[in-house]
Structure formats: C-alpha cells, structure tokens
Amino acid sequence: MKLKWGMVMAAALLAVQCAHADDNAALSDVTAQDLLKLLIDEGVIDKEKLKTLTEKIKSRQKAANAGPVETVSAENKDRKPAAEGNVVRVPYVPQYIKDEIRDQVRMGLKEDVSRDVLAQAKTERWGLPGVVPDWVERIKFYGDVRLREESTLYANGNVQGDYIDVAALNRGILLSGAPEDVFLNTTEDRHRLRARMRLGVKAKVNDQIEAGARLVTGSQNDPVSTNQTLGTNEQKWQTTFDLAYLKYSSRDKGIQAAGGRIENPFYNTDLVWDNDLTFEGVAGTWWPLRSEDIDEDFRAFDPFVRAGAFPLQEIDRSSQDKWLFGAQTGFQYDWTNQSKLTVALAYYSYDNIVGRKNNPGETTFNYTALQTWQRGNTLYDIHTDLDTTDSGKRLYAHAADYKLADFFIEYDIANFAPIHVMLTGDYVKNIGYDKNAVNRRLGLVLPGTVEYKARDKGYQFKAAVGWPTISKARDWQMAFIYRYLERDAVLAEFTDSDFHGGGTDAKGYTLKFDYGIADNTWVTLRWMSSDEIDGSTYPDTSALGTGKLGIDTLQVDINAKF
C-alpha cells in the first residue's frame, strides 16, 4: 500500500515539475494521459473504477447544463406539470409534423392580422388600396329626425271670420262659400303632433366639385315648412327633394359657387327667410383675402362678396317670369380666443312680383296671382270675370313691390368658453315700397277714401347663452328673441312659418331652451307670444275685420341627427 501511494505522490510531483520546468523540454512533453496510463499499468488505479467515475462526471455535467426532463405518457401529453419549477417536457416531434405546425400557425396569424388591420383601417379610414371601394370614401350620408308637439293657443279677443283664407280662394273656393272653407280659424285652440325627417348625401366628385341631394318630408306646395302633421288616416307621407346641387370650391382663389336647389347662401335670420327655405338657382361667394398660403391657418379679418339669381316662377306664355336677385357683402372677424363678429349688408330684389289686373272678361294675367301664401302682405283682387253668378270668385296677388335692404350682425363671445354669449341683430326695410302705387291698385285714390299706410320695416334681436351647438349630453342653450315685422317689410311667403302662425304683420317674443339628453340628441322647448301690429287689413272691403289677432304657440321637440 505504501508503495502505491508513494508512486501516486511521485507521479503528482512529476506532473507539477513538468508544468513548471521551462528548461527541461523532455519532461514538459509528458501529459496527464501518459501519467494516468502509467498508474493503470502499475495497478495503482483500477481501470473499471475509473470508467465508473468518468460516467458519473458526465452525468453531473449534463444535469448542470440543462433542466430536468419529465417523461409523460401520450394520453397525458397536454397535462400541466404537477409541480412548479424547471420541469421541461421534451417529446420527440418528427420534422414533417413541425412543418405542418409552422404552416398552420403562419396561416392563422395571417388571417388574424388581416382581420385586425381591416377593422382598424375601416375605423380610422385609412387610404389603403383595397380597404374600401373608392366611391365609399367619396360619399357621405347625413340626416336628422324631429318629433314635435305643437299647441296653438288663440287669444280670447280674437274674432272668428275676420281673416279669409287667401290660398283657398286662389284655388277656386268662392267667397260666398261655407265659412269653414273661406275663413281661417282664429279662435279654436289647436294641438298637433308633427314630424320632420331629412336624409341627405354629399359626393366628392373631385377636389373641387361636390354633388349633393336631400330628401325631406312635408308638402310639395309649401316652400317654408318640411313638417308632416300626424293624423293622416294612415296615409303615407310625402317626401320631396329640397336640395339637389353641384358646388364648386377653389381654396386658392377664394371662390365658391353652387347651382340647382341649394341651401340659403346668405347670412340671415328667420326675420327675412324661414330656416327650412332652400333656393332654386345659382349663387357664388368670393373671399378676396383667402388663399392657400402657409399663414392661412388663422385669418382674423375675412371679407366676402356673394350674389345669386333665383327663378321663382317660370311662365310658359310670358316673358314676365318672377325672379329673385340677391347680393350681400360683409366680413367676419375672428379673435384668437374663438370669439367671432359677423357683419353683412344685403340687397334682395323681386322682379315681376306685383300682380296685374285682368281686363274685363279675360284671364291673361292669372299667372301673376300668388302661388303660395302666408298672412300679412298687402294683396288685391286681379280677377275680373263679368259673369254675375260668379261674383264670389277672387284671385289675389301682391299689391306692393319688394326691394329689401337688410343689415345683419352677430357677435359670438367665447370669453367664457365652453359657454358662449351670442348676440344677433337683423334690420330690414322694403325700400321698393311705393305707397301711391299700392293705393292705386287698391282703388283707394278717390276723394274720401282712407289711405293705406306704408308698413315697410322690421327688426329682430336675439340673445343666447350656452353651447353654440348642441351635440353632446348635457349641452344646453337658452335664448330670448324679440321681433317686430310690419306687413310689407318682407315677402310673407318666405319668412318664418312658426311665429304668429307664419307671415308678417306681427310683433312679440320667443323663449327657447335646448338641452342635450344624449350625444346628437336633444330636447327643444319654445314659447312664442305674438300679436298683430295693424289688425285685419285685407284690402277686400267685403272681408275686412276690426280685430287684432293674438297667438301663443308652444313647441316641444325631440331632435336627433346623424
């Protein structure tokens, strides 16, 4: 034993000496394998024990370089490991199965990613080819629905039979007919459920041309109302186009023009034009200071000039067609806090609007009679049939001419944003009114007759507080409006159809409150109280009354837009 350990020690010492003897080349060439072989040959180390020791060392090294591997049966291949830790299952997977799995994962990911990308592209309206058809990107639909409860309450002092229904007489009803056919209701309160729906489409033809159209409910013969009164014995509602146009816009030249049936192009209030009125004809606007320069993001002073020509009635057998020509100029001034001032001066000229009296026994000038009607304007009978059995027949037309000068101003104060204070004023005067010509047409020029006085001006003031537009839940706005509109200040057919039952010769106030009950849905409460200025002054002396019509109107609306 002592000999074996001595040889071991000698071998160890020899190995150390070989490693550090730089001057002994022969000894430095002796390797550890040479020494190990020498020990085995001398019987110091057992060869089988050395082999066992080597296997144990390999096992420890393998365990140190990798976590433990758990072997499970095929039926438990999807089971979660029983204990947490570094247990890893490494089953053998053939290459063809790996290829199939890779292909399936690739196809699944492709479908999921494509679906997500298309959904996002649709939401964000990406301009990627193939995401949506090109025409979808160029077309936009919009609309609104309004449900209304309207109560018309007549004053106690009103007199039934004071006001003839001019529209009925112009349709052929005789003045000697049944009172309910001839005279307007002025004493019995009226309660109605009404509805309005508008559905429009805008198409971007190219960068400069837009085409549009809109369907609305309401009577085809009423230019200033799109309301449908419920209670039609279940008959279907009428729908008509109130917009159908082409619009040209050039930003770099500051020009916009439109033709067809278009929206009202002028700054206005419902003192002159009803809010539902649309125009047939052509109109254009020029903003001389606008351009596409880099500093155009904000322009404080923005003047404009606009003009339009609108045929009112085309007559087949006469060159005396009825026309409306309009021009307006003014400016907008914007402050950096979003406050805005708008000032506009307009001139509106009606051509061939005055009626022409027929010669005895003729109907030549019947076309000059009213086509639509609202109360107020001075009218006279142009019917002159010689048949005495038809003495109750009437055909009314305008006795006055209308050349309107209109001044509009609106100041939107945004200092308290999001709350705005909005002040609006509108003053109109019929500078084309000729008192002598009117009295001559009425036959009031003989000695002793009462002269028909001129009533040719009107004004309106509005003060509103709240959100400029109602688009979100809990948005609100309240407003007070005062109006004074003499009978011949504007053409009655085209002014507001709600205040005082529609038309002119009225004064009074309106209280209005809007409140958003949900996004794009709001309630409107409106109370209108009005009285006549001059009273019953229809020029037909057989139908003159002495009362002054008083009307209160309550409207409760539910509005939704999309």
Side-chain angles (χ1 to χ4, degrees):
M1 176 66 73
K2 291 181 179 180
L3 178 60
K4 290 182 179 181
W5 279 108
M7 292 181 71
V8 172
M9 293 299 294
L13 292 172
L14 179 61
V16 172
Q17 185 177 5
C18 291
H20 295 280
D22 295 334
D23 57 341
N24 194 334
L27 288 176
S28 64
D29 292 336
V30 178
T31 66
Q33 289 183 352
D34 295 333
L35 293 175
L36 186 59
K37 185 175 183 299
L38 176 61
L39 293 174
I40 293 173
D41 292 342
E42 290 297 327
V44 177
I45 297 176
D46 186 86
K47 187 176 182 179
E48 291 300 322
K49 291 182 179 180
L50 179 61
K51 183 178 181 181
T52 301
L53 178 61
T54 302
E55 294 295 329
K56 289 181 178 180
I57 292 173
K58 290 182 178 180
S59 297
R60 286 199 303 269
Q61 291 176 342
K62 185 176 182 181
N65 294 328
V69 177
E70 179 187 12
T71 303
V72 297
S73 59
E75 61 269 23
N76 294 325
K77 65 183 185 302
D78 294 325
R79 178 178 60 81
K80 184 178 180 180
E84 300 294 335
N86 293 327
V87 177
V88 181
R89 299 178 185 142
V90 187
Y92 173 73
V93 181
Q95 186 60 40
Y96 73 93
I97 295 180
K98 293 180 181 179
D99 295 339
E100 291 179 357
I101 292 174
R102 183 173 60 252
D103 293 338
Q104 291 176 3
V105 170
R106 183 185 296 115
M107 293 302 298
L109 286 174
K110 182 178 180 180
E111 293 175 358
D112 291 342
V113 170
S114 298
R115 185 163 49 249
D116 292 343
V117 169
L118 287 173
Q120 186 175 0
K122 182 177 180 180
T123 301
E124 299 180 1
R125 302 179 64 83
W126 294 357
L128 299 178
V131 173
V132 291
D134 179 62
W135 64 268
V136 175
E137 292 293 326
R138 294 186 286 107
I139 293 179
K140 176 185 177 182
F141 292 92
Y142 65 96
D144 61 80
V145 178
R146 182 180 70 195
L147 305 179
R148 168 176 291 178
E149 194 287 326
E150 181 176 280
S151 297
T152 304
L153 312 174
Y154 294 101
N156 293 332
N158 293 350
V159 178
Q160 182 62 32
D162 269 3
Y163 298 86
I164 59 175
D165 187 345
V166 170
L169 295 180
N170 278 15
R171 291 194 303 268
I173 300 297
L174 299 181
L175 188 62
S176 57
E180 60 270 21
D181 295 331
V182 175
F183 295 97
L184 297 173
N185 171 35
T186 57
T187 58
E188 296 297 323
D189 294 347
R190 188 179 186 186
H191 304 277
R192 291 183 287 178
L193 292 178
R194 314 188 81 184
R196 181 190 73 180
M197 180 173 181
R198 301 185 293 190
L199 179 61
V201 58
K202 295 180 180 179
K204 186 177 180 181
V205 180
N206 53 52
D207 290 340
Q208 294 182 320
I209 302 296
E210 175 186 289
R214 186 171 68 182
L215 279 170
V216 297
T217 53
S219 171
Q220 297 180 8
N221 300 319
D222 191 345
V224 292
S225 177
T226 53
N227 290 312
Q228 172 65 53
T229 299
L230 279 63
T232 60
N233 199 26
E234 305 307 326
Q235 297 179 20
K236 303 296 187 298
W237 295 358
Q238 292 184 3
T239 58
T240 58
F241 281 98
D242 77 330
L243 290 177
Y245 65 86
L246 286 177
K247 181 189 294 183
Y248 167 81
S249 300
S250 175
R251 178 65 181 176
D252 59 334
K253 297 180 180 179
I255 295 174
Q256 186 177 90
R261 191 168 189 98
I262 62 177
E263 293 181 330
N264 190 334
F266 304 105
Y267 286 112
N268 69 95
T269 69
D270 54 8
L271 183 74
V272 180
W273 311 114
D274 186 272
N275 292 327
D276 286 333
L277 181 68
T278 56
F279 286 57
E280 291 180 344
V282 294
T285 304
W286 176 43
W287 293 270
L289 298 186
R290 290 190 182 181
S291 68
E292 290 187 337
D293 294 341
I294 193 170
D295 61 349
E296 277 298 293
D297 289 341
F298 177 75
R299 173 171 293 284
F301 181 67
D302 191 17
F304 66 89
V305 177
R306 60 172 50 104
F310 314 100
L312 301 178
Q313 183 182 353
E314 193 277 328
I315 303 166
D316 183 24
R317 297 187 179 183
S318 173
S319 60
Q320 303 297 310
D321 295 344
K322 297 179 182 179
W323 282 81
L324 166 64
F325 299 97
Q328 188 178 64
T329 186
F331 65 89
Q332 282 190 335
Y333 190 91
D334 293 354
W335 283 266
T336 54
N337 66 351
Q338 297 184 344
S339 293
K340 179 185 295 185
L341 174 66
T342 304
V343 178
L345 179 63
Y347 176 71
Y348 307 112
S349 175
Y350 291 90
D351 276 11
N352 302 315
I353 200 71
V354 177
R356 298 179 64 181
K357 198 170 186 67
N358 285 308
N359 294 320
E362 296 182 357
T363 59
T364 306
F365 301 121
N366 279 6
Y367 67 85
T368 66
L370 295 173
Q371 303 299 306
T372 62
W373 174 76
Q374 291 193 115
R375 273 193 299 258
N377 287 165
T378 302
L379 309 176
Y380 78 114
D381 180 21
I382 64 171
H383 176 72
T384 56
D385 198 320
L386 295 179
D387 186 353
T388 57
T389 62
D390 196 18
S391 59
K393 192 169 184 177
R394 298 289 186 274
L395 189 63
Y396 286 102
H398 283 289
D401 213 338
Y402 294 86
K403 313 289 184 183
L404 313 181
D406 179 64
F407 177 74
F408 170 91
I409 184 170
E410 183 175 66
Y411 186 23
D412 183 350
I413 306 171
N415 298 58
F416 315 101
I419 303 299
H420 286 227
V421 177
M422 292 152 285
L423 306 175
T424 306
D426 196 359
Y427 178 84
V428 63
K429 181 176 176 61
N430 180 8
I431 60 178
Y433 188 88
D434 185 338
K435 183 180 66 173
N436 294 329
V438 171
N439 278 279
R440 185 170 58 253
R441 294 183 185 109
L442 295 178
L444 301 178
V445 293
L446 298 177
T449 58
V450 178
E451 188 178 63
Y452 206 66
K453 296 180 180 180
R455 294 289 187 266
D456 56 7
K457 63 179 179 294
Y459 56 86
Q460 179 170 290
F461 172 78
K462 176 180 178 181
V465 178
W467 270 252
T469 58
I470 308 300
S471 59
K472 301 291 184 182
R474 294 182 294 279
D475 288 356
W476 60 271
Q477 184 188 113
M478 62 177 64
F480 170 81
I481 307 167
Y482 182 79
R483 171 184 301 185
Y484 181 92
L485 187 63
E486 294 178 344
R487 66 170 176 264
D488 288 316
V490 301
L491 203 69
E493 291 100 292
F494 299 146
T495 191
D496 185 12
S497 61
D498 292 323
F499 189 80
H500 199 65
T504 62
D505 193 24
K507 62 181 179 179
Y509 67 89
T510 299
L511 298 175
K512 182 171 174 283
F513 179 71
D514 296 283
Y515 184 77
I517 57 177
D519 290 352
N520 298 317
T521 307
W522 69 99
V523 173
T524 299
L525 303 178
R526 185 184 291 104
W527 172 262
M528 294 173 283
S529 181
S530 62
D531 292 293
E532 216 161 27
I533 296 173
D534 288 321
S536 179
T537 53
Y538 290 106
D540 191 323
T541 55
S542 63
L544 282 178
T546 58
K548 287 193 175 184
L549 184 64
I551 304 175
D552 292 332
T553 305
L554 174 65
Q555 295 176 342
V556 181
D557 299 342
I558 298 178
N559 309 272
K561 64 180 179 181
F562 54 90

